[in-house]
């Protein structure tokens, strides 16, 4: 029988730029994503977050969707440039007001607010001053954290400083597919290091405003060697150090993985040693985002990590070509607990993009592949609990179909279908399924087939 512990937090997640729209409303400053999406060639079909899910104007109705799901928690992010339009200096009461009302309406619906301070949208004015490459950003971020903590303080259940800092430095500074669009390996360790310093400074700033549960959200992808060849095993170790340990080791173990010096070679900096105590400021929980795994092989021609993903053709893949591999979720949670010791864990994102049509027909839209994905991953999360992992909650990505960054609107992850022409929200079968899981605290997972049998 599948039962989750009493008090297990059932949630759904979104982020500001992906759903809000109205990016410049009420005195907000421009963000790096606004600028990037408006730069020709940067996003699929030139799509932008100008309207997205129009959540900025429809937040009250969207909170009632959360209520319909029976959720206990909602993870959202705050847009830094709404709160402090220039990134530093004067704050904007109207921008803060939006989140203030959102938090209140969540609380009156009995839903616990889970807030992320940085889900990738940086004030463009700070990008112009070097963004994550400028050491001063730790102080700017702490000041921003302090403004938000002062405004929302005791009403927020969990505070996450950063969402997936690995993506910020890897996609933004190594591959150039996210802002600032750089492709300079030597910048990566510095961007990562300043993200970590900003995280530590924000933890202190939030705590200074009173008792709070503060943590960080990382994306973990367990790495399995493609073969027993020493070269593949070494590549797997490099990939694991780079993606899974680059941020967590400094935060939770006090030092970078040694392999990073090998990965970056001459580009690996000598960081000021005193930075490590700021980065290692104790945290209350760890948020893990899980979507897929990587079967890893040596790739000498892709520096600096020289590791590649070997596609597993026998397994199903999502519309983003991410392998569906639920066992990886159990494995990575167990791995995190083994490596980092006892710390409360939350699965802060998990979900799948499948090719749902742009227009929904009928009152509920069928999405059997997403239902199967959720069922199998929730079972995998439960398996981790059975193996002793201190998992406290699960957040489905995402409440709504939304702006999937450089992929634009075609990659639909929502429990609710969004018709981007009419802004009509339609529940998908996965929303109904998730509601049953929540209502039964897991028992609904005991019925139904696995992903192979369903829809494929
Ligand atoms: C994660 C991001 C989230 C969303 C999902 C699909 O990496 O945190 O914003 O794009 O992937």
């Amino acid at each position: 029988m599948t039962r989750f512990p009493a008090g297990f937090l059932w949630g759904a997640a979104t982020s500001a730029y992906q759903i809000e729209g109205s990016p410049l409303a009420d005195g907000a400053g421009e963000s790096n994503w606004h600028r990037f999406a408006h730069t020709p060639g940067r996003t699929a079909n030139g799509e932008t977050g100008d309207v997205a899910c129009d959540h900025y104007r429809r937040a009250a109705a969207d909170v009632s969707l959360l209520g319909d799901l029976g959720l206990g928690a909602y993870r959202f992010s705050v847009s830094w440039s709404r709160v402090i339009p220039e990134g530093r200096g004067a704050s904007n009461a109207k921008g803060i007001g939006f989140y203030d009302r959102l938090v209140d309406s969540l609380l009156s619906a009995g839903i616990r607010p889970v807030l992320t301070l940085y889900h990738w949208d940086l004030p463009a004015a700070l990008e112009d001053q070097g963004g994550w490459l400028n050491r001063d950003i730790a102080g700017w971020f702490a000041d921003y954290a302090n403004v938000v903590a002062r405004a929302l303080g005791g009403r927020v259940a969990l505070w996450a400083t950063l969402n997936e800092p690995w993506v910020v430095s890897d996609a933004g500074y190594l591959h150039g597919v996210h802002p600032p669009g750089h492709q300079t390996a030597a910048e990566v360790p510095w961007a990562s290091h300043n993200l970590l310093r900003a995280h530590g400074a924000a933890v202190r700033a939030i705590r200074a405003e009173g008792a709070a549960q503060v943590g960080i959200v990382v994306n973990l992808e367990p790495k399995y060697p493609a073969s027993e060849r020493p070269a593949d095993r070494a590549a797997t170790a490099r990939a694991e150090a780079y993606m899974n340990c680059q941020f967590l080791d400094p935060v939770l173990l006090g030092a970078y993985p040694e392999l990073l010096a090998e990965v970056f070679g001459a580009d690996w900096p000598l960081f000021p040693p005193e930075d490590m105590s700021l980065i290692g400021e104790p945290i209350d929980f760890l948020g893990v985002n899980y979507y897929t795994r990587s079967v890893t092989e040596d790739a000498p021609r892709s520096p600096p990590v020289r590791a590649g993903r070997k596609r597993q053709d026998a397994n199903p893949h999502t519309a983003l070509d991410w392998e569906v591999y639920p066992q990886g979720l159990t494995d990575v949670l167990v791995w995190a607990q083994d490596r980092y010791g006892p710390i409360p864990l939350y699965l802060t994102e998990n979900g799948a993009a499948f090719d749902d049509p742009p227009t929904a027909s009928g009152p509920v839209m069928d999405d059997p592949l997403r239902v199967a994905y959720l069922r199998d991953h929730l079972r995998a999360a439960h398996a981790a609990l059975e193996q002793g992992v201190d998992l406290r909650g699960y957040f489905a990505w995402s409440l709504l179909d939304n702006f999937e960054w450089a992929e634009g609107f075609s990659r639909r992850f929502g429990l609710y279908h969004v018709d981007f022409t009419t802004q009509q929200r339609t529940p998908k079968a996965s929303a109904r399924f998730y509601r049953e899981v929540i209502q039964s605290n897991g028992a609904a997972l005991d019925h139904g087939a696995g992903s192979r049998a369903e829809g494929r």
Side-chain angles (χ1 to χ4, degrees):
M1 291 264 275
T2 311
R3 291 290 179 283
F4 284 79
F8 191 82
L9 214 51
W10 293 107
T14 62
S15 89
Y17 190 73
Q18 293 181 275
I19 65 165
E20 286 177 356
S22 307
L24 303 177
D26 295 334
E30 187 190 21
S31 75
N32 62 344
W33 263 101
H34 179 76
R35 185 189 278 174
F36 192 75
H38 279 271
T39 305
R42 288 307 201 174
T43 63
N45 307 313
E47 286 165 351
T48 73
D50 285 2
V51 178
C53 306
D54 199 25
H55 171 78
Y56 190 73
R57 302 190 307 155
R58 296 169 192 261
D62 288 340
V63 169
S64 55
L65 299 181
L66 296 166
D68 292 345
L69 286 170
L71 294 179
Y74 174 54
R75 175 171 177 244
F76 63 96
S77 80
V78 173
S79 158
W80 186 343
S81 57
R82 285 197 200 283
V83 172
I84 304 180
E86 297 298 310
R88 48 197 285 218
S91 57
N92 171 29
K94 284 191 173 167
I96 299 169
F98 171 72
Y99 299 104
D100 185 56
R101 289 189 300 279
L102 175 64
V103 162
D104 273 349
S105 58
L106 291 168
L107 290 173
S108 40
I111 298 165
R112 304 176 76 189
V114 174
L115 182 154
T116 304
L117 283 168
Y118 186 73
H119 200 125
W120 304 355
D121 48 342
L122 184 73
L126 297 185
E127 193 90 280
D128 293 338
Q129 292 162 65
W132 293 108
L133 299 176
N134 187 330
R135 261 184 86 79
D136 292 344
I137 199 165
W140 305 334
F141 188 60
D143 291 344
Y144 157 59
N146 186 268
V147 169
V148 180
R150 224 179 310 144
L152 307 179
R155 289 178 286 162
V156 170
L158 299 171
W159 293 80
T161 54
L162 306 175
N163 177 70
E164 301 190 358
W166 179 81
V167 173
V168 177
S169 69
D170 181 77
Y173 293 86
L174 182 60
H175 295 295
V177 293
H178 285 187
H182 296 185
Q183 296 183 37
T184 311
E187 291 178 353
V188 172
W190 284 110
S192 297
H193 190 68
N194 287 328
L195 281 155
L196 283 165
R197 291 175 52 249
H199 154 78
V203 172
R204 290 183 182 167
I206 296 164
R207 292 238 173 87
E209 286 305 316
Q213 294 282 308
V214 194
I216 187 169
V217 170
V218 293
N219 53 315
L220 299 181
E221 206 175 75
K223 310 287 181 188
Y224 306 84
S227 80
E228 291 304 313
R229 283 175 50 219
D232 288 339
R233 298 192 75 86
T236 305
R238 287 193 299 274
E240 179 167 290
Y242 175 62
M243 183 171 181
N244 296 339
C245 306
Q246 184 182 185
F247 295 88
L248 291 185
D249 278 18
V251 170
L252 296 168
L253 303 179
Y256 284 103
E258 280 173 14
L259 266 180
L260 289 184
E262 185 190 315
V263 166
F264 286 99
D267 291 334
W268 184 248
L270 257 188
F271 296 116
E274 64 272 17
D275 289 354
M276 298 316 282
S277 63
L278 175 64
I279 292 171
E281 187 68 31
I283 55 173
D284 303 297
F285 72 91
L286 175 61
V288 174
N289 296 348
Y290 176 82
Y291 290 94
T292 189
R293 68 157 168 179
S294 166
V295 175
T296 306
E297 61 187 357
D298 189 29
R301 286 197 210 156
S302 48
V305 190
R306 293 172 288 119
R309 183 193 306 273
K310 188 168 187 208
R311 194 177 192 281
Q312 300 302 295
D313 294 332
N315 283 343
H317 286 67
T318 72
L320 281 163
D321 207 31
W322 297 354
E323 182 191 354
V324 178
Y325 191 71
Q327 177 64 40
L329 172 55
T330 315
D331 291 352
V332 87
L333 292 175
V334 170
W335 173 87
Q337 177 137 318
D338 286 351
R339 186 173 178 90
Y340 300 110
I343 179 163
L345 295 176
Y346 291 86
L347 205 45
T348 33
E349 288 179 27
N350 175 240
F354 290 111
D355 288 329
D356 305 325
T359 310
S361 55
V364 178
M365 203 205 79
D366 236 17
D367 62 340
L369 296 176
R370 190 172 293 98
V371 171
Y373 183 99
L374 290 180
R375 178 190 294 125
D376 292 348
H377 286 78
L378 286 162
R379 286 175 176 166
H382 191 262
L385 275 164
E386 284 179 327
Q387 291 178 44
V389 170
D390 186 7
L391 183 66
R392 307 276 179 102
Y394 174 96
F395 293 75
W397 183 273
S398 182
L399 175 68
L400 303 168
D401 291 337
N402 61 44
F403 177 74
E404 179 49 30
W405 308 112
E407 305 281 343
F409 292 100
S410 63
R411 306 305 187 198
R412 292 174 177 269
F413 276 90
L415 297 169
Y416 283 85
H417 180 275
V418 176
D419 182 323
F420 291 107
T421 312
T422 61
Q423 290 297 337
Q424 174 74 39
R425 276 84 161 130
T426 304
K428 301 183 191 176
S430 52
R432 296 293 158 94
F433 170 72
Y434 189 39
R435 185 174 66 181
E436 282 168 33
V437 172
I438 296 169
Q439 273 169 358
S440 64
N441 206 27
L445 296 170
D446 292 332
H447 320 295
S451 58
R452 304 290 181 85
E454 193 159 336
R456 263 183 197 264

